[in-house]
Amino acid sequence: MKRMVNKNTMAFWLIAAANLVVALLSFYILPPRFFYDAAIIVYDNYNEIGYFGSYPLTILFYKITFLRYLPFPLIALLQFPILIYILYKIGIPKDFEKLTIKNVLVYLGIFMIAVYIAMPSKEFITFLYVAPIVFMCRNKQFSFRNTIIITVGLLLFFGALYRPYFALIPIIAGGMYWVSFINFKNKTISTIFYGLLIVFFLSLSYGILKGEYFSEMSREVVNKARLGSSDANSIIIPPVKPDTWYGEIIAIFYGFFSVNVPVNGLKHILSPQIIVFVIWQLLLFYILLVRFSKCLKERKKYNYELLIMFILFSFFILQGVFEPDLGSSIRHKIGVFPLIYFALYYEYFRKELQ
């Protein structure tokens, strides 16, 4: 048993070491579009620094930590080990060295951590912020009721201070939780479907009050300015404009499938990086769907795990509303990778605690 644990640990650290090299070299290899956000954060040309909002707070974070004054490879050398250490503390599952589908998904996830957030990044802060939620569910140091209260509080605070759509996660997750008690033929798919309807009605309510719907004020605004540019080859364009209620519901469902079941992304056959993402995302979504279904069937046994699943699938639903393109979608998924990592291996972590 000891030898097996060492083998798993060795595989984990070898993969981490290889991707640390990727993180260090990415600045010299990746095209400039990968560093647009990083440049905004570091240089703050428009003096956006402040205490509310993802860009202002991220700029403030990198200023007060003095990270903004370091070369990008050195920032990668500091940030990447922190992110990997968080995954290590969550746990290394049994047989991690074997080439199973789950393991390969995680190997690629670690690679994407090196590519997307081992630099000045909003996702670095998101990653650090969601990790305590995983540790609460992983270690069960609080009662389940208190874990829910703390988690909801954390998500609402993060939404109010940093990323507004995180404040919608408890609403959607709560609605999905109550819907999951209804005896549908396919409870898992029905729960997600009603989660999509919940976000639609939230968007409809916002549209009535403010005059524009969620996807209209976010994805449409971002993509309108990028149409025709060389960096917009994976933008998400719904078949109907989301400026009517029926256009918005089509946009929400189209966006959800585009970022979570992106079979339409296979058309980018000449862009290998997009095809790799499409395959990664299809396999990831399928495995998480199966594991979500298992949690729903044994909800008393997997109550903490089910909480993570509701948060994760609520996040996936919101991605269908706000994500402008496939690249942003994958970067934001890597921002919540601790949740994904735990959801993929929760059975192992449960056995380890016993």
Side-chain angles (χ1 to χ4, degrees), residues 27-183:
F27 176 73
Y28 304 102
I29 298 172
L30 295 175
R33 67 175 180 271
F34 278 83
F35 300 95
Y36 287 165
D37 273 9
I40 292 171
I41 292 164
V42 168
Y43 300 116
D44 190 21
N45 291 327
Y46 300 102
N47 195 29
E48 294 180 76
I49 191 169
Y51 298 97
F52 294 96
S54 56
Y55 273 119
L57 266 172
T58 306
I59 293 167
L60 179 64
F61 169 82
Y62 279 92
K63 182 177 181 179
I64 63 177
T65 58
F66 296 100
L67 287 172
R68 67 181 289 181
Y69 305 109
L70 301 177
F72 280 15
L74 189 52
I75 293 173
L77 184 62
L78 295 171
Q79 286 189 180
F80 183 75
I82 292 172
L83 302 175
I84 291 301
Y85 184 71
I86 288 171
L87 297 183
Y88 171 73
K89 292 303 290 182
I90 293 172
I92 304 171
K94 179 182 177 184
D95 297 331
F96 188 74
E97 80 284 357
K98 294 182 179 178
L99 290 177
T100 63
I101 293 177
K102 275 196 300 185
N103 288 346
V104 170
L105 290 175
V106 172
Y107 301 163
L108 288 172
I110 293 173
F111 171 76
M112 287 184 278
I113 290 172
V115 169
Y116 283 101
I117 58 177
M119 63 177 74
S121 169
K122 293 180 287 185
E123 276 57 60
F124 178 67
I125 293 174
T126 304
F127 195 107
L128 297 179
Y129 194 87
V130 301
I133 297 174
V134 175
F135 285 118
M136 280 193 296
C137 293
R138 161 81 168 84
N139 301 324
K140 300 178 174 61
Q141 68 263 49
F142 301 111
S143 70
F144 183 58
R145 180 175 176 274
N146 287 341
T147 299
I148 292 175
I149 293 171
I150 296 169
T151 299
V152 169
L154 286 170
L155 292 171
L156 291 175
F157 181 76
F158 198 62
L161 202 65
Y162 198 73
R163 278 203 157 133
Y165 63 83
F166 268 74
L168 299 177
I169 291 177
I171 300 172
I172 299 167
M176 291 171 68
Y177 170 78
W178 290 112
V179 166
S180 70
F181 284 101
I182 302 173
N183 192 25

